[in-house]
Amino acid sequence: MVNYKKLSIASLLLLSVILIFQYTNVSTSVSAFFSNKPIDIKLHGSHEVFDYNGLVERAQVIALVQVNDSLSKNNSTIQYIDNSPMIKYHYATRDVQVIEYYKNELGLGSTIEFNEPAAITLNNEYLHSEEYDALEKGKSYIVYLSNDNGLNELSIISHNNGVVYLDEFDHNEYKDVAVKSVLLANQIELPKDAAIEFSSSENIAFNSKQQEISEAKNKHLNISINKYFNEGTKMEYYNVGGIEFSINENQ
């Protein structure tokens, strides 16, 4: 015999769970709808990767900058393929204050504009490649720029390969570019033929003849630079903003 009372109670409990689940989803959707935060859309693709020397050679402009504006619909450009929702290209034109130039072949001034590979669509979607994070207002970066591209406009070279995130230094994917850019900003030159090896502190053993040298910091950068020299191994060691590497002088 079917116990309709128990069945009825179980049905009510199931209905309550469904209603709560639906209410939660609707509430979340409504909250997202009224939020100003763009929908994050990561685009897949590839770009050419340069080492530090390659970037320096390719760049017409290398500069330490502070961003004046925010990424928005107003400074974004999205070009779609004709009669298709597919995106041909996208970028945002950013306005920055130049703190220092390290290369300025174009004779630019103290305030410049350049394109970055990110954009906000009219539907409030944040477009960017998987590895690239858009520049943020008020933050500082070292950027490698060139107008040798399809648009013939000053742009960051090769996505995040051509930008050094200074406020989140450990965020940098290309360590070689990051540390050498900071050394450049501090007028510290590494031997061109030196072999560089990135290491963790636990792999770096110093003997009693270790000498520590704290390099003077660029007044515009809040990134520490410590240099060590091991007389026994004739090796130089650096710690730049927490990124450690060794230099073999004998190479």
Side-chain angles (χ1 to χ4, degrees), residues 50-63 102-105 142-146 157 161-162 176-177 180-181 184 192:
F50 299 93
D51 62 13
Y52 173 76
N53 291 331
L55 274 177
V56 171
E57 182 178 347
R58 186 176 181 84
Q60 295 164 296
V61 174
I62 305 173
Y102 309 117
K103 187 176 183 180
N104 187 9
E105 292 182 352
I142 293 176
V143 291
Y144 292 78
L145 309 173
S146 172
I157 299 173
N161 187 199
D176 179 67
V177 173
K180 288 182 178 178
S181 297
L184 171 68
K192 292 183 179 180

Side-chain angles (χ1 to χ4, degrees), residues 203-213 227-238 245-250:
N203 295 326
I204 298 178
F206 299 119
N207 62 22
S208 58
K209 294 183 179 180
Q210 167 198 340
Q211 297 177 1
E212 179 177 352
I213 306 169
K227 176 181 177 182
Y228 306 85
F229 180 70
N230 186 311
E231 292 185 353
T233 60
K234 302 301 180 184
M235 297 276 285
E236 285 185 349
Y237 300 89
Y238 280 87
F245 58 98
S246 61
I247 298 176
N248 190 333
E249 292 185 331
N250 296 324

